[in-house]
Amino acid sequence: PQTTVAAGDTLQATATLSYADGSTANVSDAVYWQSQHKAIATIDNTGLITGVTEGTAVIDAVYEIYSDQVIITVNEPCPRPEAINVYSHNSNINDNRVLLDSPLSLLHENKKRNYSFLYAEALLSDGSVVDITDDATWTPTQPDLLSISKSSPNHVFVKSREVGSTDVTVSYAGSNTSITINILPDTGERFPVN
C-alpha cells in the first residue's frame, strides 16, 4: 500500500489482520511500528505517522509472525493560515470593503442599518492571501442576537435579531479570530455605522 502526507502533518496508521474464514480484526494497538526512513517520516507506537520532509519512507508493521509495509510519500507542507482578517460592507459588492479592526455596529429595527455583509481572508504561511468566507465557520457567542447566513459566494450576511453585543468567531484550518458586533437600538440619532 502507498499513501501521502504533507511535511508537518500527521496520519493515523491502522493494521487489520485478515483470517482464512474471511473475518478481520483490528490489531493496531498490538503492532510494532517502525519507519525505515526517520528523516522523512516517523511513526510512534500508536501508529501516528508524521511527515518530516519531502521524500519517500517505508513504514513496517509487525504483529506476531505477520508483517506488512506501507510506502509513505511526504509532500511539501501545505500553506497554513497565519492570520484571518474580517471585512464588512453594507452591500454584497466586494469593492469598498472595510477591515473590521473595531466592533461592528448594527441598528436593530432599522432596515437600512440592521445588517452587514462580511468577508474573511486568510494570510497563509507562503505569503498568499485566500478568500475563506465560504469555507470558514462563523460562530456567534450569542446566536439569539443575530442571524448569520451565507448569502452568495464569498459573502456572509449578518442581521440583527435583538439589541446586545456578541462576539463572532471565524475559524478556518485550525486558526481563528473574533470580531465584536454591537446591536444598538435605533434612537434616530446619527452616528457612523461600519
Side-chain angles (χ1 to χ4, degrees):
Q2 186 167 355
T3 191
T4 61
V5 66
D9 282 352
T10 59
L11 178 68
Q12 183 63 52
T14 58
T16 304
L17 188 62
S18 299
Y19 295 99
D21 66 0
S23 63
T24 61
N26 184 329
V27 294
S28 301
D29 292 341
V31 166
Y32 170 73
W33 302 98
Q34 179 178 336
S35 172
Q36 293 184 19
H37 307 95
K38 292 178 181 74
I40 296 170
T42 61
I43 188 164
D44 68 14
N45 59 357
T46 68
L48 187 66
I49 300 168
T50 302
V52 177
T53 190
E54 289 182 73
T56 303
V58 176
I59 302 292
D60 295 314
V62 179
Y63 173 74
E64 296 178 356
I65 61 170
Y66 307 100
S67 66
D68 201 358
Q69 294 180 328
V70 63
I71 298 170
I72 303 292
T73 301
V74 180
N75 297 323
E76 66 181 78
C78 298
R80 305 249 186 250
E82 293 184 341
I84 295 175
N85 289 329
V86 179
Y87 300 86
S88 169
H89 196 272
N90 61 1
S91 73
N92 64 355
I93 301 168
N94 279 343
D95 299 337
N96 304 322
R97 298 191 288 187
V98 176
L99 177 64
L100 284 179
D101 52 6
S102 61
L104 171 67
S105 296
L106 301 177
L107 288 180
H108 186 57
E109 296 183 353
N110 180 316
K111 291 184 180 177
K112 292 185 180 180
R113 293 187 168 183
N114 70 346
Y115 69 91
S116 185
F117 290 92
L118 300 180
Y119 317 87
E121 291 179 340
L123 309 171
L124 303 180
S125 56
D126 65 358
S128 63
V129 176
V130 60
D131 185 326
I132 61 166
T133 306
D134 291 337
D135 298 321
T137 303
W138 300 75
T139 310
T141 55
Q142 297 188 45
D144 54 317
L145 296 182
L146 56 87
S147 64
I148 298 177
S149 59
K150 301 213 173 151
S151 63
S152 61
N154 305 326
H155 301 98
V156 170
F157 183 71
V158 224
K159 185 175 181 184
S160 70
R161 288 184 177 160
E162 296 290 333
V163 172
S165 182
T166 184
D167 288 336
V168 175
T169 301
V170 182
S171 305
Y172 173 76
S175 291
N176 60 59
T177 192
S178 287
I179 59 169
T180 300
I181 299 180
N182 295 322
I183 303 164
L184 308 170
D186 185 7
T187 62
E189 295 180 38
R190 295 178 72 51
F191 67 94
V193 176
N194 359 10

